[in-house]
Structure formats: C-alpha cells, structure tokens
Amino acid sequence: FVFQGTLAEKLRAGGAGIPAFFTSTAFGTVIQQGGFPIKYKADGKGGMEVEIASKPRETRKFGDRTYVMEEAIRGDFALIKAWKGDTNGNLMFRATARNFNPDCAKAAKIAIAEVEELVQPGELKPDEIHLPGIYVHRIVQGGKYDKRIEKLTLSTGSDEGSRGKGGGDGSRDRIVRRAAKEFRDGMYVNLGIGVPTLASNYIPAGMRVELQSENGLLGMGPYPKAGEQDADLINAGKETVSYLKGSSIFSSSESFAMIRGSHVDLTILGALEVSAQGDLANWIIPGKMVKGMGGAMDLVSSGNKVVVTMEHTAKNGAHKILPQCNLPLTGTRVVDLIITELAVFEVHPDKGLILTEFAEGVTVEEIKAKTGAPFIVSDSLIPMQQ
C-alpha cells in the first residue's frame, strides 16, 4: 500500500534521481509497521489466509520526530494525458487535469503523451509550458474527446447550497456550523469529502479562507452552476468545482509538498474511530474494498491542526470514540478537536479528552453513555457554538 502523497513524492524522487527519502507520514501505522495483507491465498474456500503481507519500513529520528523511509519509483513506461503539446514534447495541462501526469512522466524511462492539440515548436510560449520535452519521448494527438464527468456536482444557487446540500439534517447541520467556527482569516484549509466540505458554506462574510485540494488546486471555489461545469476542473473527490479570483493550479507532488511542509493551517475530515489520545482511523475497514487511500495520512501527519467531524456513534450504536482504535490507524496522536452532533472534545496530549461544548438538549450523562472512552468535563463547559 502507498498513500497518495507519498506516491507523488516517490514518483518525483524517482524522476530526480533520488533513491529514497524520509517522511513523517504513516509513522506508527500498519503501513510503517508492516504485516498488512496485500494478497490472500486463493484456496477456493473463501479463506482469509495471507499469501503476501506488507514489509516493515525503515525509520529514523530527526530532531524530535520519527520519520519513515520510502524508496523512489522508476517505471519503464508512463502513459500520460495533456491538453496541448508541441512536436518537441513540451506539454501544457489544463486545470486540475495536471495532477500526477508530470510526476509520472519524469519517473519513466519512456514517457508517451497523448495530447488534444499538437502544434509546432514556438506556438507554445516558454512560460506556458508545464512539462519540458526532455521528459517526453513519444507524443500522439488523440481523436475526438468526449470528456465524461464522474461526479457532476452543481450549485443550487443559494449560499448554503453552494458546496452541497446544507441543512435538511439537523444533526449534520449542527456539526457543519460548529466546524466553521474553526476558520480564521487568512487560513489555508483542506476539507475532506462530505460533511467537512459543507463547512465552507458558513465562512463568515469578509473572512478570507483559501481551500486547498490535494489534486492540485489552491483557492477552490463553490460548485459550478448548471452549464458552467468543466470536466477538467474537479476536487480531490472528483466533484466539479470552480475557481476563485487568485486561484492557482499545480501538480500532485507540489500539492503534497504544501501539505507535508506544514503550509496548510487546518484540516477538517471525517473518521471511523478516534481514540482518547487522538489516534485516527478513517481509511479502511478490513475485509471491505477500498478504492484508494487518499491524502488523509499526509494531511494528519503534517503538524497542522486536525479537526474530526463525525456522528458520535455508529448506526448500530457502537462507540466511535474509544480508549484505543480497533481499525487500522491513519495517524497516531494527530487529532486536536472532535466535533459530533452531541458534543465537542479537545484532545489534550497529556489529559486526553476534554468535553468543552454540548449540544442543545443533550446532557453530560448522555454524552458519557455514548462515548466509549473516559473524558474530563471542562470547568468552562458551554453550549455548542453555532
């Protein structure tokens, strides 16, 4: 298993001739410790005996943090897609379709680029070129393009619907409104898919908050109006989005460099489980299919403020806030704040969970009954901010 940000850096390192690098991402998780099933034996009986398990990664301490060593990736071939190219191999990408394409080309012995428009040298201005031709070995102009949108997501026209359906579900809306209270003027923020994304509907007027998307967009705007959607302009969840004035586009490796380098101030994301020490589990349920690991491991290991928004308990009533997580971890001691429909907890590095806010109509006794880990009640306990 390779998580998204480290995959981008493994490609970038491979293309730059760097054999390996160290990152804090995944330290303390099964990805670093090894032993996670990669392949099960095909015995025809539906058994779960592991045939191939992941290997432990080397670690090393720099300063007061421990880092995981990751080896670079080099490929024999890379098949990439660009918007425009010239016969010298220089390429331009359009909007967020840049993502992993430049990094894949750089890491390959032979990069083959398909372009929508092929022009002669000189027709692309030097400062418009995103990938120099030195990395491209073959170029071909494709035929007619029918760009399909996987997740067409449109604005409803109202402020609360600009990034999805606001309201309707009282519990969800309560979480969303409280999460928005964590925004501060001038912040760079990454919002997870679903409830975290809805918090952007409640950014106060006059407050400047720039949203960063892992696939290479800073200054992400609301969902587009019908007819204004662009198949090449999407967020990390593949939803159609728009630009804001002052937005910028970049590659996936650049995006995760921002994250890994602690340039993003705040991350709000969902969770399957959170421990009393701030451990987070949100990327996989063993035995169930996972489409991809996404960028959560990189985001929570970067040292920025991490806020979890989630329902207080599972649908069957099982606890999601626990003494220790039962599911594979995304990060250890990374969560700073937990917001549910019932309460808000601060996660203190020494004291553990501290109940700081409670929802209207909810008692401390009810919160205790629905929380699987012990917590301290703050002396300054207040009703949940909205």
Side-chain angles (χ1 to χ4, degrees):
F1 280 89
V2 179
F3 24 93
Q4 194 175 75
T6 296
L7 175 60
E9 189 65 12
K10 285 163 80 79
L11 290 166
R12 191 203 68 80
I18 299 171
F21 58 92
F22 284 91
T23 174
S24 61
T25 303
F27 175 70
T29 74
V30 70
I31 302 302
Q32 173 255 310
Q33 296 163 350
F36 195 80
I38 295 175
K39 181 182 179 182
Y40 292 98
K41 289 186 177 179
D43 57 6
K45 300 178 182 178
M48 299 293 286
E49 186 178 354
V50 177
E51 181 176 345
I52 302 175
S54 63
K55 296 180 180 179
R57 273 131 157 123
E58 179 183 333
T59 61
R60 188 174 299 181
K61 195 165 186 178
F62 296 91
D64 59 354
R65 298 190 71 183
T66 305
Y67 295 79
V68 180
M69 192 184 82
E70 295 285 352
E71 296 183 11
I73 291 177
R74 286 285 290 172
D76 292 318
F77 291 91
L79 306 178
I80 66 170
K81 167 70 168 56
W83 176 36
K84 291 182 180 180
D86 66 24
T87 54
N88 281 354
N90 297 308
L91 301 180
M92 290 176 62
F93 301 94
R94 188 172 179 277
T96 56
R98 190 181 315 186
N99 51 67
F100 276 88
N101 281 296
D103 301 310
C104 288
K106 293 174 183 179
K109 295 175 183 177
I110 297 177
I112 304 171
E114 179 186 6
V115 297
E116 297 177 31
E117 185 178 343
L118 183 61
V119 300
Q120 294 300 311
E123 293 189 44
L124 302 181
K125 295 180 181 179
D127 58 357
E128 294 178 335
I129 292 168
H130 300 134
L131 183 67
I134 193 171
Y135 297 111
V136 179
H137 306 86
R138 311 281 190 276
I139 192 164
V140 59
Q141 183 174 11
K144 183 179 179 182
Y145 286 95
D146 179 17
K147 295 185 179 180
R148 299 180 182 180
I149 296 175
E150 187 169 338
K151 292 185 179 180
L152 177 60
T153 320
L154 302 174
S155 170
T156 61
S158 64
D159 289 341
E160 293 190 359
S162 61
R163 288 188 176 87
K165 295 181 180 179
D169 183 334
S171 296
R172 183 177 69 170
D173 195 53
R174 185 184 306 152
I175 296 171
V176 168
R177 288 178 179 273
R178 176 57 187 85
K181 295 293 182 181
E182 296 302 307
F183 295 138
R184 300 291 182 270
D185 190 44
M187 270 188 168
Y188 293 100
V189 178
N190 186 288
L191 301 177
I193 300 168
V195 169
T197 297
L198 297 177
S200 59
N201 291 331
Y202 299 101
I203 297 173
M207 180 181 288
R208 174 180 163 268
V209 174
E210 293 208 31
L211 303 181
Q212 194 258 16
S213 186
E214 300 101 291
N215 60 319
L217 172 58
L218 185 64
M220 182 170 59
Y223 296 139
K225 296 178 181 179
E228 297 180 359
Q229 65 269 20
D230 185 339
D232 287 332
L233 184 53
I234 59 174
N235 62 18
K238 302 181 181 179
E239 299 172 323
T240 48
V241 292
S242 64
Y243 294 122
L244 292 178
K245 291 181 179 179
S247 297
S248 56
I249 296 286
F250 32 85
S251 68
S252 293
S253 60
E254 184 72 34
S255 179
F256 282 99
M258 295 176 187
I259 293 168
R260 200 180 303 107
S262 301
H263 302 287
V264 175
D265 301 300
L266 173 66
T267 294
I268 304 179
L269 74 176
L272 297 170
E273 294 176 345
V274 182
S275 81
Q277 296 78 38
D279 300 336
L280 171 68
N282 78 343
W283 72 276
I284 192 171
I285 299 175
K288 292 189 176 181
M289 181 178 177
V290 58
K291 290 184 178 180
M293 300 176 71
M297 280 196 178
D298 303 274
L299 285 159
V300 302
S301 69
S302 66
N304 65 3
K305 184 173 183 179
V306 175
V307 175
V308 163
T309 58
M310 67 177 187
E311 293 181 346
H312 205 96
T313 60
K315 291 181 180 179
N316 62 2
H319 293 144
K320 296 173 69 174
I321 303 174
L322 303 162
Q324 291 87 32
C325 294
N326 298 314
L327 296 171
L329 295 182
T330 306
T332 60
R333 294 181 173 269
V334 294
V335 177
D336 298 292
L337 195 71
I338 304 170
I339 301 172
T340 76
E341 77 279 13
L342 303 182
V344 177
F345 294 96
E346 291 182 2
V347 184
H348 191 278
D350 300 316
K351 299 177 181 179
L353 299 175
I354 302 175
L355 177 66
T356 58
E357 300 176 31
F358 63 93
E360 182 180 356
V362 177
T363 64
V364 173
E365 287 69 29
E366 180 182 353
I367 296 170
K368 285 182 177 179
K370 294 183 177 181
T371 305
F375 59 83
I376 299 170
V377 179
S378 172
D379 293 335
S380 55
L381 182 67
I382 60 172
M384 189 181 294
Q385 301 177 65
Q386 293 286 284

